[in-house]
Amino acid sequence: MRQIRIPAQGEMIVEQAQKPTAGAGEVLLKIMYVGFCGSDLNTFLGRNLMAKEQVIPGHEIGAVIESVGAGVPEFLTPGLTVTVNPYTNCGHCAACRSGHSNACEFNETLGVQRDGAMRDYMVLPWQKVIPAQGISPRDCALIEPMSVGFHAVSRADVTDSDTVLVFGCGMIGVGAIVRASLRGATVIAVDLDNDKLALARRLGATYTINSKEQDLHATLMELTSGLGPTVVVEAVGSVPTYQAAIDEVAFSGRVVCIGYSKNDVTFHTGLFVKKELNIRGSRNAMPSDFEAVIRYLQRGTCPKDELISAIVKPESALAAMQNWVAAPGKVFRILVDFS
């Protein structure tokens, strides 16, 4: 079978490997589509300090069950279209013991700390396989990144009385926009790219701000009657957006952080106290977030084609990644077609 590996910074190869078989409690998946995400891009660029050396990337998965081992529940049958929960959880750390398995201290995500799904076949424990009835294998590859945005909105306890500002209209930010909109909130999307902002409106954003062309603070004050947004979701991971999240959120508001900043961020901490802020991290996603995304996609209202920038065969994955490096702001998702 084929598999894609990142052997060194700026390199990507397609190699041959032996097809695995499912043991007891395991499911053999025929991988159909896998998405390249920001962590894969950073691994390719040598910037992902969490990635193992010479990793097989990929954790955004659309697949079909090929076969199952002994002891696998009957609802997982060959031919079923599925996606995958790509995170591990130890069951013993403080996060796992408190019911937050998504934030397991010893988590190993597919394609980062352990080899991922960029291959023709892979074997996983049945507990990590998620049926996605009525969703194509291609679109299943969109579920995991959207679920990360959905989880951030859950972390913020968003309701229909909130005004939610989302920094960043990439795939994870898009997930937050969709979920906040589904909860009835007023959503303000902020990005530097007008095409992404237009898509954000189609996905549920009430207002959009191009912070390169508009005065962010003045526009927010106008849109919120001088109060500021009650919730800010940071889905960029840059110093300016982290600082703006604290500056712009309303007094007694909530800030939820998804993005990893590559540089240290300096804050004037007086606003933490004066505003009595709730500042929350948001990591990965819970099974309930995957289920919520699946229900959303089953509605058929999501413009899924617009979320996919390119579909390439494994042999063209290196060129696709190089194109992403050259124009990072123009890519939502690149899918690799193993079908």
Side-chain angles (χ1 to χ4, degrees), residues 4-313:
I4 294 173
R5 189 179 297 278
I6 300 176
Q9 179 179 336
E11 298 179 13
M12 186 175 290
I13 60 172
V14 181
E15 59 187 16
Q16 292 294 315
Q18 186 174 356
K19 179 181 175 180
T21 57
E26 294 180 331
V27 176
L28 174 65
L29 299 180
K30 171 63 185 85
I31 302 299
M32 305 297 281
Y33 294 88
V34 186
F36 274 131
C37 76
S39 63
D40 299 320
L41 176 62
N42 284 325
T43 300
F44 179 74
L45 294 172
R47 299 173 182 170
N48 189 348
L49 300 180
M50 294 185 292
K52 64 172 280 190
E53 292 185 0
Q54 302 191 36
V55 71
I56 297 172
H59 57 257
E60 302 173 358
I61 301 165
V64 174
I65 294 178
E66 179 91 354
S67 62
V68 300
V72 173
E74 293 183 357
F75 72 89
L76 295 174
T77 58
L80 188 67
T81 298
V82 299
T83 191
V84 168
N85 182 331
Y87 325 120
T88 63
N89 53 287
C90 70
H92 306 294
C93 72
C96 288
R97 292 173 67 178
S98 66
H100 299 276
S101 59
N102 60 298
C104 174
E105 181 179 355
F106 305 104
N107 167 66
E108 293 186 346
T109 299
L110 286 172
V112 186
Q113 296 95 341
R114 59 189 173 126
D115 283 336
M118 290 280 179
R119 41 182 144 174
D120 283 305
Y121 296 91
M122 73 180 305
V123 168
L124 288 169
W126 71 263
Q127 294 91 340
K128 297 298 181 181
V129 179
I130 304 172
Q133 183 177 4
I135 303 174
S136 71
R138 185 202 74 166
D139 296 340
C140 280
L142 303 176
I143 293 172
E144 191 275 342
M146 292 191 76
S147 73
V148 176
F150 272 47
H151 182 65
V153 171
S154 295
R155 289 283 293 147
D157 297 319
V158 169
T159 72
D160 57 3
S161 64
D162 281 309
T163 297
V164 179
L165 169 63
V166 179
F167 278 113
C169 296
M171 272 298 299
I172 292 173
V174 158
I177 290 165
V178 169
R179 186 55 163 162
S181 175
L182 290 174
R183 290 192 175 198
T186 299
V187 182
I188 304 171
V190 178
D191 203 279
L192 303 175
D193 186 274
N194 286 323
D195 291 336
K196 287 185 176 180
L197 291 170
L199 178 57
R201 277 189 178 270
R202 291 194 289 277
L203 289 165
T206 314
Y207 306 105
T208 58
I209 301 173
N210 185 321
S211 56
K212 183 172 61 176
E213 300 174 356
Q214 297 167 265
D215 185 306
L216 176 66
H217 177 73
T219 306
L220 286 174
M221 290 298 98
E222 180 181 352
L223 294 177
T224 63
S225 302
L227 299 176
T230 53
V231 174
V232 176
V233 176
E234 203 292 328
V236 176
S238 73
V239 173
T241 50
Y242 260 92
Q243 292 172 333
I246 301 300
D247 291 340
E248 301 300 343
V249 70
F251 276 68
S252 75
R254 290 100 75 197
V255 176
V256 178
C257 307
I258 313 174
Y260 283 83
S261 175
K262 300 179 183 66
N263 301 299
D264 291 343
V265 185
T266 301
F267 294 106
H268 297 294
T269 56
L271 289 178
F272 295 8
V273 178
K274 290 178 182 178
K275 291 186 175 184
E276 198 177 55
L277 296 181
N278 285 291
I279 303 173
R280 306 172 185 178
S282 182
R283 185 182 182 191
N284 299 331
M286 295 289 285
S288 59
D289 301 307
F290 282 85
E291 293 166 7
V293 175
I294 289 170
R295 288 195 298 271
Y296 166 64
L297 292 178
Q298 287 171 338
R299 294 182 178 187
T301 58
C302 177
K304 298 178 290 290
D305 292 347
E306 297 184 57
L307 300 178
I308 300 170
S309 304
I311 300 176
V312 300
K313 291 293 186 180

